[in-house]
Amino acid sequence: MPEEKTFQAQDSVLVIGGGVGGIQAAIDLSESGKNVLLVDKAPAIGGLMTQLDRTFPTNNCDICTVSPHLSETGRSTSFQMLTMTRVSGLEGSAGDFSVTLKTAPRYIDLEKCTACGDCLKNFPDCVRYDPGLDHRAPTCMRYPKATPQAYSIDMGKCSDVQALVNVCKAGAIIPEDQEKSRQVAMGSIVLAPGAAMFDADKLDTYGHAFFSNVVTGLEYERILSASGPTSGQLVRPSDGEQPKKIAWIQCVGSRNINQADVPYCNSVCCMYALKEAIVTKQRFGADIETVVFYMDMRTFGKDYERYYQRAKNETGIRFVNCRPHSVDRCAGTDNLMLSYLLEGESVPQTEEFDMVVLSTGFVIPEDVAELGRTLGIELNDHRFASTSSFSPVASSKAGIYVCGLFESPKDIPETLIQASAAACLAGQGLQNREEIKVPVQLDRPERDVLGEDPNIGVFVFECGFGNGSVMDADALAKYAAALPGVTFSAKMGPAINQESLAFVEKTIQERNLNRVVIGAGSPRTQEPLFQETLKRAGLNKYLLEIANIQDQGAWVHESAAAQATEKGKDLIRMAVASVALARPLEDRSFPANKDVLVVGGGVAGMNSALALASQGRKVTLLERSDELGGIAANVCKTLEGEDVREYMKSLIDQVSAHQDIEVLTGAQVVDHSGVPGMFQTGVRLSPDGSYRKIEYGAGILATGALANRPKEYLLGDHDAAMTQLKLDRFIESDPDKIKGWKNVVMIQCVGSRVPENPNCSRVCCQAAVKNALRIKELNPDAQIFVLNRDVRTYGFQEDYYRKARERGVVFVRYSVDAKPVVSAQGETIQVEFTDPILSKPVKVAADCLALSTGFLADTEGNSELARIFRLPMTEDGYLLEEHIKLRPTDLPTPGFFIAGAAHAPKLIRESIAQAQAAAGRALTVLAKDTITVGASYAEVESEKCAACLICVRACPFDVPVISGGYSFIDPAKCHGCGVCVAECPAKAIQLMQFEDDRIMAKLDGLLEGRV
């Protein structure tokens, strides 16, 4: 930890909260040129995410998702972190805040503590314990990725202080430690304190307080986790036996107006229940019966509906549409009896289970609400921070921005998006730091290892469940020690954190290692961390090989531990063979262009452009149509009643008038080249067809989606049939006609959640509720029927869903096998459907048939952009982000980012948040004066080249040229794809980092173990 520094308000931001949102905001701010102080009340940062076993739908383990963030925080020279610290006062205004911080005594010297555990072992009463499922875990180290990795002493419980001091061999215990108070000057504040889990003990009906085999979703996560109380083995708490039948109960403590519950939807419960049920079957046997009891299955995120259908159709999970009444213990056993009533039936049913998992959500605890009041921001009726649809991360107080769970219940990608958005806005009006004002540990001079025999170190990490529980990490480390060239091999713990990286660095120096193999997870997330570690140790960062024993071994052989371990040996043997031939390489660095290209002139594109221009960046904004606005320009009101048309008019005026934004309408992207910081994109402009080359450093794609208009339910054939988008405008333009309507029928999921458009369109349910309430305001006597498959009013939208029911709007469920039937009846449309409660058919003569048609991906437009910018797409035509959890706004092509409905269907407020996030992520690229693009580029051996032009024709980026009688490849333009290497008949081209001899060494290493 660097020494404390003096912050200056003009270039500094305070981030409150050390969960995944606070960490992301802090990293973005630091990388974009601001000084950052992150404070958290807990003894270690990480938040709720660090207690999860895996995430969905990629099934990344918690370590992979959070550890890179935790490690990055300790390696930034403009970043300082204070744990056990609370905000006790705030004075001043935006740009010049004075914040009072109070840090509780830890009684531990963080520089000396090695987390050996002697204090805990000998004086367990002096360490505060986590009251959750794992009673062995101290509060300060409840997960193996705790940062800082040090204990915290509760000195008030210690009866023999001197004995406690003496037991610490490192001399790290400070009995005289006291609370510290300090004033810091900050220009802005990012508020990310998170939330707490709902206390299931408040609900007697489900028995969490009485029955040990009733656990919450988070407690079940700890059971599944290798770092949890059962080391990742699925056993029930009462008797240690593996359960054969498990029930998940949704909406426990939420979507209810009882005093003990909260009325809103928690947005995440359905997905984590699906994940837990799927993982249970995958890891512990398909014969385990898993049943999910639900009210509405709210799988509204990107590709979440596919995940739901997979759970239902491929894994054998049973879904029961009801809310169980109660849970009781079966007489004479520890089994549990669920009582529930199915829709349309009058006789309750009972069913026996071995375990019951309660899907609980989030609440804002009193201390977090008090923090909001201390900072002077408004809270909503549920004690979350109050924001608007058009400023989704701005609090009511200028200069204070919110993100994550404190803004509203949400999942990990939405939290990261809001964090980057908050970071972007928090940096507006602040100066970039001119110099680093904290002591910086400089990288050691790089050691020349050319000519040395391989001296290889192998470090095998137990990456949560992925390696430790399936693979025998001890056996892998022992096996690696006997491989040629390996002089050091060690098994590491499950944590890839500052402490483990420091151990690798120290070992490299002490043992004079000249090459390193890491056995862990994906190089996508972990390679940069270990490359920096090698640099700090004085070793060229390209003398590293990652053996991905997690993704390629443990995860694909979950049910076969022995085979997984053998696969791990293969991967490590191949990595050792390859790294032995690794050569020191140099990164390529070039001057950076600080301008930005934004493609798409809808609400997302314009917000990105405005956020960037507000921080002094020159922006070129391309729109292929003749005017700005996109689909949002056709919307009148939000669900909350805000005027979208007035907002869009103001936004267009601001963008058009901004001196640093150049708007080009009628613009079509036709070609592209370059690397981050040095991009060139060709644009064809209408109506004259002129061509223009735009040079810039980072790009944002915000091309939106298309309004879906499927040929169903008389849409386009009858005046009374219209989309919700048209109805939204009709309510504003012709209110008198609406006052004469008697019956209105709305049909949900029209053209969505079907094979040709398999995902949920996300916006439809709230649009139906919005329009139903507006119709009721104009015509209280109108009968409104909303025919739905699930009502997906997530988050605070649930308040409006409840309000609609209170005003008499009737919500009727239909199945995909029994869709409503419509027919024209003069000026009305007759709608026939089955009432599931009465089990009888119903006919309604509708004056208006409103169809919730949602979005379609602009497959044609996205395909063209994907071809030009070399981007992947999802199966249904949306652009695919780099990583659904870690990088939801970054595109796989470095230097490019995505925002709005081009990424996936989303609301206006969500599009604005991602637009600001994309701008914030772009600023992390643009903050650098030079761009480093790595050492993976193709190099021609001129003496072998025959100038045959094959590489010239094969290269998808048009980089090779014939010069001086042989091919020349400019390292500044090469993308490192390797196509030319594979096509060259003379083998005259080598791709650095992937040279022929290293590839062949890997193959030889694999075959050595197969002979």
Side-chain angles (χ1 to χ4, degrees), residues 23-43:
I23 294 168
Q24 181 67 62
I27 291 172
D28 282 358
L29 284 161
S30 176
E31 290 183 349
S32 62
K34 306 301 184 292
N35 288 310
V36 182
L37 173 63
L38 184 147
V39 300
D40 193 275
K41 63 185 179 183

Side-chain angles (χ1 to χ4, degrees), residues 14-19 22-23 37-48 51 81-88 100-106 128 139-143 147-148 152-153 179 190-197 363-372 383 405-406:
L14 175 66
V15 178
I16 304 174
I23 294 168
L37 173 63
L38 184 147
V39 300
D40 193 275
K41 63 185 179 183
I45 66 171
L48 288 172
Q51 299 186 56
M81 178 179 69
L82 294 175
T83 54
M84 301 181 70
T85 301
R86 298 174 182 267
V87 175
S88 62
T100 303
L101 303 175
K102 290 189 176 180
T103 302
R106 191 183 192 106
R128 290 166 292 177
T139 304
C140 58
M141 296 181 68
R142 66 170 69 99
Y143 42 87
T147 301
S152 175
I153 303 298
E179 181 180 79
V190 174
L191 190 52
M197 299 301 295
V363 294
I364 298 299
E366 177 55 33
D367 64 327
V368 173
E370 182 58 33
L371 172 63
R383 304 207 300 188
L405 293 178
F406 186 45

Side-chain angles (χ1 to χ4, degrees), residues 465-629:
F465 156 74
N467 298 352
S469 295
V470 174
M471 287 186 170
D472 186 341
D474 285 309
L476 293 179
K478 184 177 180 181
Y479 175 80
L483 293 174
V486 175
T487 60
F488 177 84
S489 180
K491 185 195 81 168
M492 308 290 288
I496 300 176
N497 55 23
Q498 295 177 40
E499 286 70 26
S500 60
L501 296 175
F503 176 80
V504 174
E505 178 184 340
K506 181 180 178 182
T507 305
I508 292 172
Q509 297 167 37
E510 291 181 347
R511 293 183 173 266
N512 223 27
L513 301 178
N514 57 25
R515 285 163 181 79
V516 173
V517 170
I518 302 294
S522 172
R524 292 176 61 193
T525 57
Q526 295 173 2
E527 186 176 58
L529 299 177
F530 290 106
Q531 285 184 333
E532 284 299 312
T533 301
L534 264 65
K535 285 179 61 180
R536 289 177 180 271
L539 197 60
N540 185 278
K541 71 178 187 179
Y542 292 105
L543 299 174
L544 168 74
E545 188 82 23
I546 302 287
N548 190 353
I549 58 178
Q550 177 181 269
D551 297 32
Q552 298 171 0
W555 283 3
V556 293
H557 303 292
E558 290 180 336
S559 59
Q563 291 90 328
T565 299
E566 290 303 312
K567 178 75 168 290
K569 292 179 180 179
D570 289 343
L571 293 168
I572 289 175
R573 186 174 63 253
M574 294 166 66
V576 168
S578 174
V579 81
L581 300 177
R583 303 162 180 82
L585 301 173
E586 292 186 7
D587 287 332
R588 297 167 290 159
S589 296
F590 310 101
N593 186 319
K594 301 299 186 78
D595 298 343
V596 186
L597 176 71
V598 178
V599 184
V603 66
M606 287 190 289
N607 270 283
S608 288
L610 202 57
L612 287 161
S614 297
Q615 300 209 37
R617 305 301 177 187
K618 299 288 185 180
V619 181
T620 302
L621 177 62
L622 306 182
E623 169 56 40
R624 65 183 175 184
S625 68
D626 294 332
E627 57 185 20
L628 300 174

